[in-house]
Amino acid sequence: MTDRNFKVWRGDADSGEFIAYQVEVGEGMVVLDAIHRIQTEHANDLAVRWNCKAGKCGSCGVEIDGKPKLACMTRLSDYDPADTVTVQPLKTFPTIRDLVTDVSWNYEQNKRIAPFRPGSPGPDGQHRMQQEDVDRVQEFRKCIECFLCQDVCHVLRDHGKRDRFVGPRFMIRIASLEMHPLDVEDRVPATKSEFGSGYCNITRCCTEVCPEHIGITDNAIIPMKERVVDRFYDPIAWLLRKLFRSQKT
Ligand code: SF4
Ligand code: SF4
Ligand code: FES
């Protein structure tokens, strides 16, 4: 066991400051363990949201040394023992108290996306899908809604364009529905207008922080941007759609 130094942001929606704490840590401990030890030994009113402690519920997202991470999956051994580890709430969302933020805006975005709408079954009454189509959307289902990608996206974080861009997590949701082989809803016009796909400049910061290693930018956002370009900016595709009355690309 060794003593380690932490600076934890304490405060509420109106004001706050970093408070220094020192606790003993042992081998294998993660940042969430240290926060719990700080609660036990120094500050039993320190607010932190967590649930599974297994990287699966997505609730313990914080910024550790300025980077969005899951507190329960970030080992203290990743940091130099001589350095102070800084823990603060996700910057993109309003702070409720200490390390807990109000992420309800994200749930509102989810409600805006048209849900799955299956087409007609085949002549035998069955819906069928190719395995490669299943595999393509399966990756997106791994999302644990930790919103680390939403936190790091500069469109939301630095430019505050929440009214224009739905964010990477919900570009994934749109892609998972649009690429679903049985879905017949058309979300491409809304992807361009209401959901603001054009605001993403494919910096891949969201992909870098995703704890589930989802290819957010390359596998979801870029294909959706391509569909928007094909629909609205490709004159040949536009003409073919007019001739064949096809809606979904
Ligand atoms: S790639 Fe797009 S969605 Fe992801 S962080 Fe960059 S701007 Fe945001
Ligand atoms: S895509 Fe990754 S970073 Fe974004 S909410 Fe889902 S799991 Fe978290
Ligand atoms: S506590 Fe569930 S992901 Fe960290």
Side-chain angles (χ1 to χ4, degrees), residues 86-228:
T86 303
V87 189
Q88 62 196 101
L90 300 179
K91 182 187 164 194
T92 299
F93 304 108
T95 299
I96 297 173
R97 195 159 73 86
D98 301 336
L99 300 176
V100 177
T101 50
D102 177 2
V103 293
S104 56
W105 177 80
N106 293 290
Y107 302 118
E108 296 305 316
Q109 304 321 297
N110 210 27
K111 291 183 203 159
R112 296 170 60 210
I113 298 168
F116 176 69
R117 184 161 68 89
S120 305
D124 60 356
Q126 300 291 318
H127 288 286
R128 286 198 169 73
M129 301 190 284
Q130 299 295 320
Q131 186 60 47
E132 64 181 328
D133 291 334
V134 175
D135 293 344
R136 188 161 64 145
V137 292
Q138 190 63 28
E139 176 188 18
F140 306 140
R141 307 283 297 197
K142 293 191 301 178
C143 176
I144 58 171
E145 296 212 313
C146 63
F147 306 130
L148 300 186
C149 58
Q150 299 286 89
D151 181 55
V152 84
C153 176
H154 66 98
V155 182
L156 306 174
R157 184 184 182 98
D158 301 323
H159 304 295
K161 294 199 183 297
R162 290 207 217 169
D163 55 336
R164 309 280 173 83
F165 182 47
V166 78
R169 188 284 171 264
F170 298 103
M171 289 298 291
I172 285 181
R173 170 128 175 86
I174 294 165
S176 74
L177 290 162
E178 279 297 300
M179 294 179 193
H180 196 295
L182 301 181
D183 178 82
V184 294
E185 183 69 42
D186 179 14
R187 301 171 193 81
V188 173
T191 300
K192 172 178 179 281
S193 53
E194 293 148 51
F195 302 136
S197 59
Y199 283 93
C200 167
N201 55 3
I202 55 174
T203 54
R204 294 187 174 82
C205 310
C206 50
T207 305
E208 280 171 25
V209 301
C210 177
E212 288 294 320
H213 308 292
I214 300 170
I216 303 173
T217 321
D218 288 353
N219 297 344
I221 297 179
I222 290 175
M224 286 312 303
K225 284 165 94 56
E226 285 172 349
R227 288 176 188 217
V228 167

